[in-house]
Amino acid sequence: MKKEAAFNDIIRKVRRDLFGKGPERIYTHFIEDMAITKMYGNLTTPEKFISRTREGQHTVHNARTLMIQELYKENIPEGLEELVGAKLVHLFNDIKVEEDMAVSVFIFDKPII
């Protein structure tokens, strides 16, 4: 299995376990010491309902971004660092709720092997 596909499987499982639904489509590119992951089809049915208003979109956006940041700060997913051969030092993530697209940028302590 390609390293990117294995990375995607880890990220999909984390999101499925955390939110009850993983992304429908996920793409990862490794560049130097970064893994850049784009995810589509992330939102659950209740999140889609909540996000029909501007206030609801803000609620879903804040919950999703904060939950992911906290999760990775407290517990790096099993197998992630071993797969890329480096330690995760930073995670930047965001979601465009109205388009149901999320992006995460994982920064590691050395180039990914």
Side-chain angles (χ1 to χ4, degrees), residues 42 63 110:
N42 302 280
K110 61 184 179 182

Side-chain angles (χ1 to χ4, degrees), residues 10-19 68 71-72 77:
I10 293 170
I11 302 308
R12 182 177 280 114
K13 181 183 182 327
V14 165
R15 296 203 174 225
R16 185 179 57 239
D17 292 350
L18 185 61
F19 298 114
I68 291 292
L71 174 74
Y72 280 84

Side-chain angles (χ1 to χ4, degrees), residues 4 11-12 23 28 33 37 40 50 52 63 76 79 89 91 98:
E4 290 89 347
I11 302 308
R12 182 177 280 114
T28 296
D33 62 347
T37 303
Y40 301 89
I50 292 166
R52 292 189 311 182
I76 295 170
V89 291
L91 170 64
E98 53 276 16

Side-chain angles (χ1 to χ4, degrees), residues 29-35 84 86 106-108 110-113:
H29 301 282
F30 296 134
I31 303 168
E32 298 175 6
D33 62 347
M34 296 180 289
V84 299
F106 301 83
I107 300 178
F108 295 90
K110 61 184 179 182
I112 295 169
I113 56 171

Side-chain angles (χ1 to χ4, degrees), residues 78-92:
E78 185 177 329
L80 187 79
E81 293 177 328
E82 294 81 3
L83 177 68
V84 299
K87 295 277 185 208
L88 180 65
V89 291
H90 299 292
L91 170 64
F92 298 91

Side-chain angles (χ1 to χ4, degrees), residues 2 7-8 20-22 32 36-37 40 45 48 62 71-72 83 86 88 91 93 96-98 104 106 111:
K2 272 179 60 175
F7 193 90
N8 291 346
K21 179 184 183 300
E32 298 175 6
I36 302 167
T37 303
Y40 301 89
T45 301
K48 288 178 185 176
N62 290 340
L71 174 74
Y72 280 84
L83 177 68
L88 180 65
L91 170 64
N93 69 297
K96 186 108 172 137
V97 174
E98 53 276 16
S104 291
F106 301 83

